[in-house]
Amino acid sequence: MNNDSINLKVGQCAATTYTVPVGPVHPALKEPIRFSFDLDGERIVGVDIKPGFAHRGIEYMGMKRNLIQALYLSERICGICSISHPLAFTQAVENAAGIEVPPRAQYIRTIIGELERVHSHLLWAGVGAHELGFDTLLHLTWNVREKSMDLLEELTGNRVDYAIPIFSGVRRDVPAEKAHLAYEALDYYKSLLQQMIDAFLHDKSVEMRTRDVGALTYDQAIELCAVGPTARASGVKKDVRQDMPYLAYADMDIRAITPADFGTEPRGDVYDNIIVRLLEVQQSIGIIEYCLENLPSGELMSIPKVPALLAALKKASGEGIGRHEAPRGEVIHYVRLAEGVEELAVWKVKAPTYSNLMAWVPKFLGDEIADVPIIAASIDPCMCCMDRVHLADAAGNKTTRMKEELVRLSREKTRRICG
Amino acid sequence: MSATLLNAVWQGLIILVGGTFLGMIYKGLDRKLAAQMQGRIGPPLRQPFFDVVKLMVKENVVPDHAVAWLFNLMPLVSLAAVGTLLFYLPLGGFEPLLGGFGDLILILYLLAVPSLAMVLGGFAAGSPFATVGAQRELVMMMAYEFPLAITLLSLGWYLSSVMPGAQVFSLTVLASNPLWGLVGPLGFIGLLLLFCALMIVTPAELTKIPFDIPEAETEIAGGILAEYSGRNMAMFYLADAIKMVVMGSLTVALFFPYGLSGLLGVTGGIWGSVIDVAFYLVKVFVVIFFAVIVVRVAFARLKIGQAARLFWLPITGISLLGMVLLMLDRIV
């Protein structure tokens, strides 16, 4: 007997693992992405993630249009975050061009942004329930979600893509005679919130499927730069609304919500993700209420005429950054304006899913194939927000680039666009 | 002799067609009621018929990696096994057609055949999803067969101790001697526990939520059924529908074999049969309603490890306790 065979440990034999592909088209995924899981029985021992299936070149398209056209395009980066991207984008452009936004417009932007958080988190909760095979909860949650969609339609005219923010303000008012509709919807949610918490957090079968599943420790969340509810579920007190208040958030005392607010120790698992998102719905209701009660009077736009606005933007030059706490986490838009041209010189979008992508790896490892759908859903991924790159060679074959090469390529690009 | 045979063939055909029809109706009811409970409108009652017709005209795809003959054979085996099961069950209060040729033990084995056929079909499909699904189905079978066997055997054993010499494993004998009337208080509790165990095994046997782990749509895209389509899929669909009737009828025959005609004073004749058949349909529906529909609306899907633990420890425990109580009932 030689030494090699003595030192061989259980699980070292390579033949025991096999690979199961999930995606780009799979019932567990709402949008295309490809996972490749190495399985030992039902246990995940390795995972490879391949994004890039929903790349549409939207930044490039935006740079071929005038700024107001690009604004409408920014709304179409994602259907669920259809206010988050324009909010970050308008802030970036206003920041670059030095345009002031009237207080009333800031409050209205906040109201719509928080309403979006309500419906986005409820959408997520329903999807999560479906991934667990709990369709009853999916249907009930989405039924409840309709109220926020109806309210958004009442206030903006649209259920998605609200077309509310514009550079220097907002396009539509929230008139006093419609405020009672908003209060009605808020009361509806307040009365249902305890029921939702009972249905999700005090349900034995949900707890069995989500507790200690897809855990992300505090250190891992920090190390991998996770954002939004994904980071907060791990106990990281990180929220743009708290850390760098903007819009109406500066007038309120916003605190990042972690599972500690529910009275439990943060573990970063799927259960904690549910806690954080449900409590954030409650927080959003409070924010909307505050905004409605303290809605300042005044104008909606500091430059109300569109030709004047376009002219002002054409004259402006410089770079600007806009940040917004989207339902999924921090979204950042970077823009560079060049004097004398109507188009953007540079537009860079970093969606929250991009930051949370790597958090998937520790979340998946060690869990079972049965946990794949709910762990994939736990970061509330949005591929169409995130996919900014797709690599292909002339023959159409996809290629893989390693870190050094990617760094070199991105530096080259930065030099190119910064002239 | 040939007349009896012809008669049997006719009866067999009626049972097959009737059983399938019933299964489809129950499946439609299942979908409609589940939808209503979830706040949806749901499909029309005859949707399962549309589904089967549509599957029948669709292309029957056999994957390149599949073992084609095994892949194509297994839906047939599955359908044949559940079809055969119909002949051994007292449907509508009538004598089983093949009652004299097999007993509860045979039923137990026949019940395992459709699941095994699905496992083989899954492995033969050559797809990783189907393979994972087939492995899970095997684990599920190992998990729920034990409490199921304990339940059926305990009932037979009790009857054999009360009526020595009788064909205790014959469903006809079991159905005509309801145990509820024979047992004492201890045995009554034991019977209740066995009934509970059977009710929990039913959704697992039928691969319904929370035990639809081998098919788990969101996890493994239909698992065993992932590669099946067209005619093969339709056969599995029909087998599933019939199996629902089989499990319902089995529970009814073992625990609620009572008829209503005697109580209403119309024994015998056409009307007596009509009342008994109608009552039987209601009983099967009630079993399916509580064992399948309500359960699948109220729970999330379990993981395979959780389901296996559930059956090996608590459910097996419940059925063993039921068996011990039945034994004690005879001793005391």
Side-chain angles (χ1 to χ4, degrees), chain A residues 124-163:
Chain A
W124 176 85
V127 169
H130 174 65
E131 307 291 16
L132 295 176
F134 204 162
D135 281 352
T136 311
L137 212 45
L138 156 76
H139 293 297
L140 295 180
T141 315
W142 281 23
N143 201 359
V144 169
R145 172 177 177 260
E146 278 304 294
K147 194 80 179 171
S148 60
M149 304 295 280
D150 289 347
L151 179 61
L152 278 165
E153 191 181 3
E154 278 294 338
L155 295 181
T156 69
N158 296 314
R159 281 166 62 85
V160 285
D161 292 352
Y162 319 107

Side-chain angles (χ1 to χ4, degrees), chain B residues 174-198:
Chain B
L174 267 169
S176 50
N177 298 289
L179 288 180
W180 299 103
L182 302 175
V183 292
L186 268 182
F188 192 82
I189 300 170
L191 267 186
L192 264 182
L193 290 177
L194 289 178
F195 174 64
C196 287
L198 187 60

